[in-house]
Amino acid sequence: MNRRLQGLYAITEDRALSAGEACVAVEAALRGGASLVQYRDKSGDHRRRLAAATALRVLCTRYRVPLLINDDVELARAVGADGVHLGRDDLDVRQARARLPDHSLIGVSCYNRFELAQRAVDAGADYVAFGSFFASPTKPQAVAATPDLLRRARTELSVPTVAIGGISPENGAALV
């Protein structure tokens, strides 16, 4: 297993965060043990997103923790991020891999569908993510995934699996 893909995977809130706000939140997660950070901002404010991603890149480098950019291969390239996390409406894994440096990490959201995960692995994904496991204010309409899906993925897939969606210190132990 890729040693960079173990442990707590922190995802920034899906709202417009300034560079300073993003760094404060992410540094708290890093101090708390996050071993991977995903910058997620669906807004169209390119300058703010670039500033925040650049600041997070510096912070994550200082902590020696990989930074992934959600959905935006070009932003990942621009800030020298360690990779991207792709959803259903993004580039496919092969297209993203062609646009990024060879060592880049690529993860794929597979929701509650094992067959999407298998296709992502076959295409060269470094990890797959399932969820939502719990209600999430970020994605209130997200499909529900079950712990059985994580068990199956761990047994049948050759890449790490990430659980996402409404996970907190209070409910996360059941997924670990």
Side-chain angles (χ1 to χ4, degrees):
M1 176 185 293
N2 185 328
R3 301 295 296 168
R4 298 191 307 169
L5 297 174
Q6 291 183 319
L8 178 62
Y9 183 134
I11 304 173
T12 64
E13 289 186 54
D14 187 19
R15 63 179 180 89
L17 294 175
S18 70
E21 291 171 319
C23 284
V24 167
V26 168
E27 187 158 24
L30 292 168
R31 286 184 178 175
S35 58
L36 188 75
V37 173
Q38 181 190 134
Y39 174 57
R40 186 172 196 271
D41 178 347
K42 301 285 192 170
S43 75
D45 187 339
H46 179 72
R47 277 206 319 216
R48 192 198 67 255
R49 291 175 70 238
L50 179 61
T54 299
L56 289 175
R57 177 67 180 133
V58 170
L59 179 63
C60 287
T61 298
R62 190 173 65 199
Y63 278 84
R64 296 187 179 127
V65 169
L67 172 67
L68 304 181
I69 305 296
N70 180 271
D71 295 343
D72 193 335
V73 171
E74 297 311 315
L75 182 59
R77 284 172 43 112
V79 301
D82 297 288
V84 295
H85 182 85
L86 304 171
R88 79 175 52 132
D89 298 324
D90 301 322
L91 295 176
D92 67 31
V93 172
R94 288 181 180 97
Q95 291 170 319
R97 183 85 56 213
R99 304 275 311 137
L100 294 169
D102 290 339
H103 63 278
S104 298
L105 297 171
I106 298 178
V108 178
S109 287
C110 300
Y111 313 99
N112 63 353
R113 297 179 52 201
F114 185 83
E115 70 277 4
L116 290 180
Q118 187 62 66
R119 279 191 292 227
V121 171
D122 292 346
D126 295 296
Y127 74 89
V128 294
F130 294 104
S132 184
F133 286 92
F134 302 101
S136 171
T138 304
K139 288 189 174 181
Q141 304 302 323
V143 296
T146 67
D148 289 336
L149 187 58
L150 294 175
R151 283 188 276 282
R152 180 178 180 196
R154 187 173 196 169
T155 302
E156 297 182 35
L157 297 177
S158 61
V159 299
T161 302
V162 174
I164 60 174
I167 302 168
S168 69
E170 295 75 32
N171 63 24
L175 300 175
V176 174

